[in-house]
Amino acid sequence: MRILVVGAGAVGGYFGARLAAAGRDVTFLVRARRAEQLRRDGMQVVSPHGDLTIQPKLIEASQIDGPYDLILLSVKAYTLDSAMADFAPAVGPDTMILPALNGMRHIARLVERFGEKPVLGGACRVVAELNDKGQIVQMAEVQSLVYGERNGASGERMQALDAALQGAGFSAESSDGIVQIMWDKWVNLASLGGITCLLGGSIGQVASVPGGVGAASALCNEALAVAAAYGHAPSRQEAERVISSLTNPKSKLTASMYRDMKSGGRVEAEQILGDMVEKAEAKGVEVPLLRAAAVALRVYDAAHNG
């Protein structure tokens, strides 16, 4: 299977490097600056599961000369439009597009551009960042990729995808409930992002002050209510896990949005929080804390990137 990884940053670079190291046919679609860095230094992964350096196969958008079997899409939401324009020549009649983006908004945009057939559902779990040397640094042991047909069907495409992605040094599996998995992840990310960005600290810092646990729990319950309004309420166990993990006074957990904000970078405010607030409004669900978090991030984004 010919695999094109779109986004050679922390997430796409991590999974792509593991796949390439396991002997898969992986090409990375990159811009000129990142290409120069990777050709000079190789793609370096620093990980509790073992460090590795590969000499990646690279391509720029203008060099794409035909379709790939699988496009693993891992870009920030605010670059999705330019990414779609870049990889469009790689999409053929049998291409699968596996997005590893946060939230749900990207699905509609991908379907609008490429149609229903190629667009799969996908969710990944990996805590990784690019450092100032361009290395991919994995900061926690979790590393999983789940994917599936959005209508819940199983068949030859998922069997082929399992064969291509499994056994490459991370957990990979197809699921007939991928849409629910994506909603579960969205609820968790919106809650985590909302708590840390709105209240200005790690989960433990928030939970350790008077009123912190109550505020964090209330924000989690808003996100859970939105998911329920759309028929995707997490299981009771998952809901309890989310609230427990995001009100733990010993937790050092922060959202990637919070870390991006602290470093002065761009944030995925609309994809993770703005879209959830819009969905809440459409169903009449009251989400004052999520709305406040979204506005806070919009104010930050306008000040830093406007």
Side-chain angles (χ1 to χ4, degrees), residues 5 61 101 144 172 180 249:
V5 176
L101 281 73
S144 67
Q180 182 63 53

Side-chain angles (χ1 to χ4, degrees), residues 93-179:
D94 297 315
T95 299
M96 292 179 282
I97 301 173
L98 170 50
L101 281 73
N102 297 320
M104 299 292 292
R105 177 179 283 180
H106 60 282
I107 294 293
R109 290 164 68 187
L110 287 165
V111 168
E112 181 181 3
R113 178 69 184 266
F114 300 108
E116 290 281 354
K117 180 185 174 184
V119 182
L120 306 176
C124 72
R125 291 185 66 207
V126 64
V127 183
E129 290 185 345
L130 282 184
N131 65 15
D132 55 7
K133 299 178 182 178
Q135 297 171 314
I136 299 159
V137 181
Q138 187 183 13
M139 298 176 291
E141 292 192 0
V142 61
Q143 47 175 11
S144 67
L145 185 60
V146 187
Y147 41 86
E149 304 281 7
R150 290 177 293 113
N151 63 5
S154 58
E156 291 183 2
R157 289 211 306 179
M158 291 305 98
Q159 293 172 10
L161 209 46
D162 282 341
L165 300 180
Q166 292 177 354
F170 57 86
S171 172
E173 64 175 334
S174 56
S175 171
D176 59 6
I178 189 61
V179 173

Side-chain angles (χ1 to χ4, degrees), residues 43-245:
M43 180 173 282
Q44 302 176 38
V45 175
V46 180
S47 166
H49 297 284
D51 299 349
L52 66 89
T53 299
I54 65 167
Q55 294 300 320
K57 186 164 33 172
L58 307 175
I59 195 170
E60 295 182 37
S62 62
Q63 299 169 326
I64 297 174
D65 59 1
Y68 283 74
D69 300 305
L70 172 66
I71 295 172
L72 178 57
L73 177 61
S74 176
V75 296
K76 292 292 188 180
Y78 44 76
T79 67
L80 180 57
D81 288 340
S82 62
M84 288 192 296
D86 285 347
F87 73 75
V91 179
D94 297 315
T95 299
M96 292 179 282
I97 301 173
L98 170 50
L101 281 73
N102 297 320
M104 299 292 292
R105 177 179 283 180
H106 60 282
I107 294 293
R109 290 164 68 187
L110 287 165
V111 168
E112 181 181 3
R113 178 69 184 266
F114 300 108
E116 290 281 354
K117 180 185 174 184
V119 182
L120 306 176
C124 72
R125 291 185 66 207
V126 64
V127 183
E129 290 185 345
L130 282 184
N131 65 15
D132 55 7
K133 299 178 182 178
Q135 297 171 314
I136 299 159
V137 181
Q138 187 183 13
M139 298 176 291
E141 292 192 0
V142 61
Q143 47 175 11
S144 67
L145 185 60
V146 187
Y147 41 86
E149 304 281 7
R150 290 177 293 113
N151 63 5
S154 58
E156 291 183 2
R157 289 211 306 179
M158 291 305 98
Q159 293 172 10
L161 209 46
D162 282 341
L165 300 180
Q166 292 177 354
F170 57 86
S171 172
E173 64 175 334
S174 56
S175 171
D176 59 6
I178 189 61
V179 173
Q180 182 63 53
I181 291 170
M182 293 173 69
W183 268 94
D184 287 353
K185 182 181 178 183
W186 189 15
V187 165
N188 187 74
L189 284 178
S191 300
L192 173 60
I195 292 166
T196 56
C197 294
L198 179 62
L199 303 178
S202 70
I203 291 301
Q205 289 173 320
V206 171
S208 297
V209 301
V213 168
S217 297
L219 198 148
C220 292
N221 282 320
E222 288 181 6
L224 290 165
V226 177
Y230 283 84
H232 290 289
S235 67
R236 186 179 70 177
Q237 287 180 323
E238 174 63 13
E240 291 174 352
R241 186 200 66 77
V242 168
I243 294 175
S244 175
S245 67

Side-chain angles (χ1 to χ4, degrees), residues 192 196 201-205 245 248-255 258-259:
L192 173 60
T196 56
S202 70
I203 291 301
Q205 289 173 320
S245 67
N248 179 2
K250 296 181 179 180
S251 175
K252 297 180 180 179
L253 186 63
T254 59
Y258 176 77
R259 298 192 297 273

